[in-house]
Amino acid sequence: MNFTHHLQTSDPEHPFAEFIRILGKGKHGSRPLTQEEAYMAMRMIMADEVLPIQLGAFLMLMRVKEETPEELAGFVQAARESFAAGDRENLADLDWSTYAGKRRHLPWYLLSALLLAENGVRVLMHGAKGPAAGRLYTEDMLGFLGLSAATSIAEAKQQLQEHSFSYLSLEHFCPKLHEIIGLRPILGLRSPVHTLVRLLNPFNADYSIQGIFHPGYRPVHQLAAQLLKQPHAAVLKGEGGETERNPDMDCLVQSVHHGELSDEDWPALFAKRHVKPEELDPSQLAKVWRGELQDEFAEASVIGTAAVVLKLLGRADSQEAAQELAVAYWHHRDPGRF
């Protein structure tokens, strides 16, 4: 498209300009988008009906003001419509988003998900690798456990049927959002896309769990899940922003079950905090699973994260019962699996 020609004053206003105006009209003139407006804006973005300069302005205006639950819900609705996953019903029990990457501790949540899969919970993980140096992303960790990421929706379905676990990168089911995430080094900031991808739930699982880094986003995700009529969802401030319970800290889990909101505090599992490791060795994931390496922080993280999920799934009716069940799963795991 010829930008110079398009921006001539005699040309009619681009339809996307209205959404930029709503967000950027100043301290007293701007307002958040309604859910319907957010849906229409994201639908245009997904259809490549937006100029690059408009996309950058829109993303950064949203970044400055931060997303409302209604905006997130509208964005997610439009993004979901952009990818056709075919028959997705009853393929995954649990949707698990993983977009942050770890830098202080290893991604112990991966063992939590695999422990649940070993006990009949079909887990679909989806994520994306970011540009940040020094972060460990889920996709790069799979090989240390002898696993491979799915490279298509069809392959993810097959992995779920055969192994009750699959990891599917965002680029293989929603490439437009993957492309926008890649703009972070150019824009200098994260954008609303980093938030909305956590809510995509590509296989329409009845249960969804998300980790966030900034506590202020926790209720926003909770309310957005409610607006999206997600049957069961939980969001927590995870270690490093991933869906992982830090056993050294209290953990507030905010949930929605059939439209009803609830908050639940999970206490720290240790009285004193552990010192973070000097370096991260991904080969330790398999060693801890096999029992070749004893690490009380790692085991508490794996078990504690699994317990939160078991409570969400309704496999346990109390924190104590969920913790006991997760411990039993861990003690009876197949050590030779990885």
Side-chain angles (χ1 to χ4, degrees), residues 38-115:
Y39 165 78
M40 291 189 294
M42 186 54 65
R43 189 170 64 174
M44 291 183 69
I45 291 171
M46 301 305 294
D48 281 327
E49 296 173 355
V50 176
L51 299 172
I53 194 170
Q54 290 177 312
L55 178 61
F58 181 81
L59 293 176
M60 291 301 94
L61 284 169
M62 285 294 307
R63 175 67 179 90
V64 170
K65 77 167 205 60
E66 297 185 351
E67 311 89 283
T68 66
E70 290 77 14
E71 288 168 332
L72 264 185
F75 292 156
V76 171
Q77 286 175 309
R80 285 176 177 174
E81 287 182 4
S82 74
F83 56 85
D87 181 13
R88 298 170 290 163
E89 302 300 323
N90 301 316
L91 280 173
D93 300 309
L94 178 67
D95 182 81
W96 191 311
S97 59
T98 166
Y99 290 86
K102 298 292 294 294
R103 63 181 180 85
R104 291 174 56 87
H105 293 279
L106 287 170
W108 300 117
Y109 61 85
L110 185 52
L111 298 190
S112 303
L114 293 168
L115 183 66

Side-chain angles (χ1 to χ4, degrees), residues 255-308:
S255 305
V256 57
H257 293 280
H258 293 304
E260 296 294 323
L261 304 178
S262 61
D263 295 355
E264 186 174 26
D265 286 302
W266 291 70
L269 298 173
F270 296 106
K272 294 183 178 180
R273 293 191 180 188
H274 291 75
V275 177
K276 75 178 184 69
E278 293 183 4
E279 60 180 3
L280 301 182
D281 178 5
S283 69
Q284 292 181 359
L285 290 168
K287 292 177 181 178
V288 167
W289 178 275
R290 292 195 296 260
E292 297 170 2
L293 176 67
Q294 301 302 313
D295 185 323
E296 68 170 10
F297 178 92
E299 291 191 20
S301 181
V302 173
I303 293 168
T305 302
V308 171

Side-chain angles (χ1 to χ4, degrees), residues 224-244:
Q226 182 188 43
L227 289 169
L228 290 164
K229 295 181 171 52
Q230 172 67 34
H232 309 275
V235 57
L236 58 108
K237 183 184 183 302
E239 205 292 310
E242 288 287 3
T243 307
E244 180 178 291

Side-chain angles (χ1 to χ4, degrees), residues 16-27:
F16 194 77
E18 176 62 19
F19 302 120
I20 297 174
R21 182 184 298 109
I22 290 170
L23 298 174
K25 222 176 174 184
K27 186 182 296 185

Side-chain angles (χ1 to χ4, degrees), residues 4-30:
T4 305
H5 170 74
H6 187 86
L7 296 176
Q8 293 294 323
T9 55
S10 60
D11 286 350
E13 182 176 89
H14 192 290
F16 194 77
E18 176 62 19
F19 302 120
I20 297 174
R21 182 184 298 109
I22 290 170
L23 298 174
K25 222 176 174 184
K27 186 182 296 185
H28 302 294
S30 62

